């Protein structure tokens, strides 16, 4: 699936385009977006970041610090305060902001969406394993039936293959 979940949010007074990344633990913005936020809201200051290092798929990301947003809004009715965002060096990525699971869990719309995705995955896994286990039960039932009919005379069912069953049936006929 190649679909990306993108959108717009207001960080303090700045409109920011984001990529919603379920694989990212931490929300980050590029330095150029931090500077825009700072121009539009002078009280936004870069603070020292003391958390864990952050890596992309291939390299470590250089962290400049963190900011605390006075306003973080993804829609008109849902605004959050005191949201920590990590500021990184400008990357070659086209994404101004990557929303990670740290912020997703705080935003009801994102959290509800994530719960929906998790539930769909769980349902899919349940159906898959139910199908696999049903096939295995049928296979074992068929093997036991063949044993009971004395077509196959073995104590080790792991050695039984479809070809060996076909051969036994042909021998009997």
């Amino acid at each position: 699936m190649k679909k990306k979940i993108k959108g717009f949010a207001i960080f303090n007074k700045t409109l920011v385009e984001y990529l919603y990344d379920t694989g990212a633990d931490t929300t980050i913005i590029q330095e150029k977006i931090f500077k825009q936020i700072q121009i539009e809201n002078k009280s936004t200051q870069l603070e020292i970041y003391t958390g864990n290092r952050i890596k992309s798929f291939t390299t470590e990301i250089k962290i400049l610090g963190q900011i605390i947003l006075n306003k973080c809004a993804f829609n008109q009715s849902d605004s959050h305060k005191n949201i920590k965002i990590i500021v990184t060096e400008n990357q070659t990525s086209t994404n101004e902001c990557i929303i990670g699971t740290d912020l997703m869990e705080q935003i009801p719309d994102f959290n509800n969406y994530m719960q929906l995705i998790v539930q769909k995955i769980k349902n899919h896994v349940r159906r898959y394993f139910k199908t696999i286990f049903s096939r295995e039960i049928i296979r074992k039932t068929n093997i036991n039936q063949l044993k009971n009919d004395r077509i196959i005379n073995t104590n080790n069912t792991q050695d039984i293959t479809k070809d060996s069953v076909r051969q036994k049936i042909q021998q009997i006929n």
Side-chain angles (χ1 to χ4, degrees), residues 8 14 19 26 33 38 48 51 73-74 80-81 91 101 107 122 124-125 136 142 150 152:
F8 292 93
T14 306
L19 170 69
T26 309
I33 298 304
Q38 198 173 39
I48 295 173
F74 291 90
H80 302 272
K81 295 181 178 186
Q91 306 292 317
T101 55
I107 310 297
K122 284 180 181 178
H124 180 74
V125 169
E136 184 63 17
N142 289 341
R150 301 221 183 270
I152 297 174

Coordinates of all heavy atoms in Angstrom, one line a residue, residues 8 14 19 26 33 38 48 51 73-74 80-81 91 101 107 122 124-125 136 142 150 152:
F8 N -2.7 19.0 7.3 CA -2.2 20.3 7.7 C -2.6 20.5 9.2 O -3.6 20.1 9.6 CB -2.8 21.5 6.9 CG -2.3 21.5 5.5 CD1 -3.0 20.8 4.5 CD2 -1.1 22.1 5.2 CE1 -2.5 20.8 3.2 CE2 -0.6 22.1 3.9 CZ -1.3 21.4 2.9
T14 N 1.4 29.0 13.0 CA 2.0 28.6 11.7 C 1.3 27.4 11.1 O 1.1 26.4 11.8 CB 3.5 28.3 11.8 OG1 4.1 29.4 12.4 CG2 4.1 28.0 10.5
L19 N 3.3 14.7 7.7 CA 3.1 13.3 7.3 C 2.9 12.5 8.6 O 3.6 12.6 9.5 CB 4.4 12.8 6.6 CG 4.4 11.2 6.3 CD1 3.4 10.9 5.3 CD2 5.8 10.8 5.9
T26 N 8.7 9.5 17.4 CA 8.8 10.9 17.9 C 8.4 11.9 16.8 O 8.7 11.6 15.6 CB 10.3 11.2 18.3 OG1 10.7 10.2 19.2 CG2 10.4 12.5 18.9
I33 N 11.0 25.1 9.4 CA 9.6 25.2 10.0 C 9.7 25.9 11.4 O 8.9 26.7 11.8 CB 8.9 23.9 10.1 CG1 8.7 23.3 8.6 CG2 7.5 24.0 10.8 CD1 8.0 24.3 7.7
Q38 N 8.9 30.5 14.9 CA 9.5 31.6 15.7 C 9.2 33.0 15.2 O 9.0 33.9 16.0 CB 11.0 31.3 15.8 CG 11.6 32.0 17.0 CD 13.1 31.6 17.1 OE1 13.8 31.4 16.2 NE2 13.5 31.4 18.4
I48 N 17.0 22.9 25.0 CA 17.9 21.7 25.0 C 17.0 20.4 25.0 O 16.1 20.3 25.8 CB 18.9 21.7 26.1 CG1 19.8 22.9 26.0 CG2 19.7 20.4 26.2 CD1 20.7 23.1 27.2
G51 N 16.6 13.9 25.3 CA 16.0 12.5 25.1 C 16.9 11.6 24.3 O 18.1 11.9 24.1
A73 N -3.1 22.3 16.7 CA -4.5 22.1 16.2 C -4.5 21.3 14.9 O -3.9 21.8 13.9 CB -5.3 23.4 16.1
F74 N -5.3 20.2 14.9 CA -5.4 19.5 13.6 C -6.8 19.7 13.0 O -7.0 19.3 11.9 CB -5.2 18.0 13.9 CG -3.7 17.7 14.2 CD1 -3.3 17.7 15.5 CD2 -2.8 17.4 13.2 CE1 -2.0 17.5 15.8 CE2 -1.5 17.2 13.5 CZ -1.1 17.2 14.8
H80 N -4.6 21.6 21.2 CA -3.8 21.1 22.4 C -2.7 22.1 22.8 O -2.2 22.8 21.9 CB -3.2 19.7 22.1 CG -4.3 18.7 21.7 ND1 -4.9 18.0 22.6 CD2 -4.8 18.4 20.5 CE1 -5.8 17.2 22.0 NE2 -5.8 17.5 20.7
K81 N -2.3 22.1 24.0 CA -1.3 23.0 24.5 C -0.1 22.1 25.1 O -0.3 21.0 25.5 CB -1.8 23.9 25.6 CG -2.9 24.8 25.2 CD -3.4 25.7 26.3 CE -4.4 26.7 25.7 NZ -4.8 27.6 26.7
Q91 N 16.3 18.3 6.5 CA 16.5 17.0 5.8 C 16.2 17.2 4.3 O 15.6 18.1 3.9 CB 15.7 15.9 6.4 CG 15.8 15.8 7.9 CD 17.1 15.3 8.3 OE1 17.6 14.4 7.7 NE2 17.7 15.9 9.4
T101 N 4.2 8.6 16.9 CA 3.2 8.0 17.8 C 3.1 8.8 19.1 O 2.1 8.7 19.8 CB 3.5 6.5 18.1 OG1 4.9 6.4 18.5 CG2 3.4 5.7 16.8
I107 N -3.7 13.0 20.5 CA -4.8 13.6 19.7 C -5.9 12.6 19.4 O -5.7 11.6 18.8 CB -4.2 14.1 18.3 CG1 -2.9 14.9 18.5 CG2 -5.2 14.8 17.5 CD1 -3.0 16.2 19.3
K122 N -5.9 -6.8 13.7 CA -6.3 -7.9 14.6 C -7.3 -8.9 14.0 O -7.2 -10.1 14.0 CB -6.8 -7.4 16.0 CG -5.7 -6.9 16.9 CD -6.3 -6.5 18.2 CE -5.3 -5.9 19.1 NZ -5.9 -5.4 20.4
H124 N -7.9 -9.2 10.8 CA -7.3 -9.9 9.7 C -6.5 -11.1 10.2 O -6.5 -12.2 9.6 CB -6.5 -9.0 8.9 CG -5.8 -9.6 7.7 ND1 -6.5 -9.9 6.5 CD2 -4.5 -9.9 7.5 CE1 -5.7 -10.5 5.7 NE2 -4.5 -10.5 6.2
V125 N -5.7 -10.9 11.2 CA -4.8 -11.9 11.7 C -5.7 -13.1 12.3 O -5.4 -14.3 12.1 CB -3.9 -11.4 12.8 CG1 -3.2 -12.5 13.6 CG2 -2.8 -10.5 12.2
E136 N -5.6 -27.2 9.1 CA -4.7 -28.2 9.8 C -5.6 -29.2 10.5 O -5.3 -30.4 10.5 CB -3.9 -27.5 10.9 CG -2.9 -28.4 11.6 CD -1.9 -29.0 10.7 OE1 -1.6 -28.6 9.6 OE2 -1.3 -30.0 11.2
N142 N -8.5 -36.0 8.3 CA -8.3 -36.8 7.1 C -7.3 -37.9 7.3 O -7.5 -39.1 7.0 CB -8.0 -36.0 5.9 CG -9.2 -35.2 5.4 OD1 -10.3 -35.5 5.8 ND2 -8.9 -34.2 4.6
R150 N -7.4 -48.2 7.7 CA -6.2 -49.0 7.5 C -5.6 -48.8 6.1 O -4.9 -49.6 5.6 CB -6.5 -50.5 7.7 CG -7.1 -50.8 9.1 CD -6.5 -52.1 9.6 NE -7.0 -52.4 10.9 CZ -6.5 -52.1 12.0 NH1 -5.4 -51.3 12.1 NH2 -7.1 -52.4 13.1
I152 N -3.5 -46.2 5.7 CA -2.1 -45.9 6.1 C -1.8 -46.5 7.5 O -2.6 -46.4 8.4 CB -2.0 -44.3 6.3 CG1 -2.2 -43.7 5.0 CG2 -0.6 -44.0 6.9 CD1 -2.2 -42.2 5.0

